[in-house]
Amino acid sequence: MTRASQRRRVHRYTAEGGGTGRADTLAGEEPLEIRLDGRAFTVTMRTPGHDFDLVAGFLVSEGVVRAPDDIVRMDYRSGVGPDGQRTYNVVEVRLAPGVAPPDTSMERHVYTSSSCGVCGTASIEAVTKVSSFDPAGDPVRLPVTAVLALPDRLRTGQKLFDTTGGVHAAGLFRFPGNPAGDGGTGQDAGEPELLCVREDVGRHNAVDKVVGWALRQGLLPLRSTVLQVSGRASFELVQKASMAGVPALAAVSAPSALAVDLAEQTGVTLLGFSRGTSCNAYAHRERLVP
């Protein structure tokens, strides 16, 4: 059976000379094939665990589904190895009647690596997706002090990172309060609620796992939320946020230029270098409350 982490023997060396042997815990990384209605759709490298969340979130990001009822069934039944044992590396998805399957231009003809969420897309046009939701219309207000606290709150939920030091994380936070009825200050009585944390060797996989969890809980669109990620903000992460209706994406590192352009176009507030004491606002800073 697949595992989120594995033990390996290593030899540790120091500048002082010599070395010692010991066991080390490594993050798991294995292929996952996604099949739609019996047809191969893509293969992605991922950290095993929360696979159904990963698949559901990936299908949201690809514009295939938008509601939990769009998926009739997900299971591992197709993944059987030569020895007859289930591999847990193939997920079969049965779409609901009336849900249009993706056209052939969306199929991934090579595997998607753990570092690239759009690799293998068959055409340039298929890279950019149109969201069924509208992040630009979300009136949420984000107190800066609360936003700056999110990286530390995300870090407390990174259990796999604690043991391996080798995975990314994404956390979904819901901001309470009623922006329309607070006199425009955006202040509220409670702190943001942590809804979900997911980890993976691929930062895009961690986000897909969060979005997939939300889809299966019937929470899309994710209004009044911030998606906090542990790495940089790329084009694909902004797109995944937009496809799920997330109005704000915050990263501890830098965004790319294309990520900023897409955030401006889709109405997503994009924050970078958010590290506890300050952050940079790259797009739609009007939601921030100093």
Side-chain angles (χ1 to χ4, degrees):
M1 182 176 177
T2 57
R3 291 179 292 176
S5 63
Q6 299 179 22
R7 301 282 284 177
R8 292 289 188 275
R9 190 74 179 173
V10 301
H11 205 81
R12 181 179 178 85
Y13 293 90
T14 66
E16 288 74 22
T20 56
R22 64 184 180 91
D24 196 13
T25 302
L26 307 178
E29 184 178 26
E30 298 186 21
L32 179 70
E33 180 181 349
I34 302 173
R35 297 179 183 174
L36 293 182
D37 296 329
R39 180 176 179 176
F41 183 51
T42 191
V43 176
T44 184
M45 300 300 294
R46 98 294 189 195
T47 297
H50 304 291
D51 287 336
F52 289 174
D53 288 347
L54 170 61
V55 172
F58 181 79
L59 294 179
V60 171
S61 299
E62 293 293 302
V64 178
V65 302
R66 54 172 291 174
D69 291 344
D70 290 343
I71 298 175
V72 173
R73 189 186 74 244
M74 284 191 287
D75 60 55
Y76 290 107
R77 287 185 292 181
S78 300
V80 178
D83 57 358
Q85 298 296 312
R86 189 161 291 153
T87 65
Y88 296 93
N89 281 331
V90 178
V91 171
E92 175 78 34
V93 180
R94 185 67 59 187
L95 298 175
V99 177
D103 60 49
T104 55
S105 68
M106 292 174 61
E107 293 179 4
R108 305 299 181 92
H109 297 296
V110 298
Y111 82 91
T112 303
S113 74
S114 57
S115 62
C116 178
V118 296
C119 299
T121 306
S123 68
I124 295 297
E125 292 76 13
V127 171
T128 304
K129 309 295 190 301
V130 178
S131 178
S132 298
F133 309 116
D134 180 24
D138 194 318
V140 66
R141 293 294 179 263
L142 307 173
V144 171
T145 53
V147 171
L148 293 178
L150 298 186
D152 286 341
R153 294 186 61 190
L154 173 64
R155 181 65 185 84
T156 62
Q158 293 179 244
K159 306 305 181 186
L160 188 58
F161 182 85
D162 287 340
T163 58
T164 67
V167 291
H168 293 279
L172 184 66
F173 295 85
R174 175 181 287 148
F175 276 66
N178 180 7
D182 60 5
T185 65
Q187 303 297 328
D188 51 66
E191 67 176 8
E193 176 188 5
L194 175 58
L195 299 179
C196 179
V197 174
R198 292 289 185 264
E199 297 178 276
D200 200 279
V201 287
R203 61 181 180 273
H204 57 90
N205 287 342
V207 171
D208 278 341
K209 288 179 177 181
V210 167
V211 171
W213 170 87
L215 173 80
R216 299 174 71 200
Q217 296 293 318
L219 298 179
L220 267 57
L222 290 169
R223 296 176 61 81
S224 300
T225 61
V226 172
L227 182 63
Q228 176 70 53
V229 296
S230 62
R232 64 185 179 88
S234 60
F235 166 89
E236 59 188 329
L237 296 196
V238 174
Q239 179 162 268
K240 289 177 185 295
S242 172
M243 295 297 287
V246 176
L249 171 65
V252 299
S253 191
S256 68
L258 193 58
V260 175
D261 291 343
L262 184 62
E264 288 283 5
Q265 296 167 16
T266 58
V268 173
T269 296
L270 180 58
L271 308 176
F273 297 105
S274 182
R275 298 175 178 174
T277 58
S278 65
C279 66
N280 292 346
Y282 292 90
H284 294 286
R285 64 184 179 90
E286 65 273 7
R287 289 193 176 101
L288 296 176
V289 181

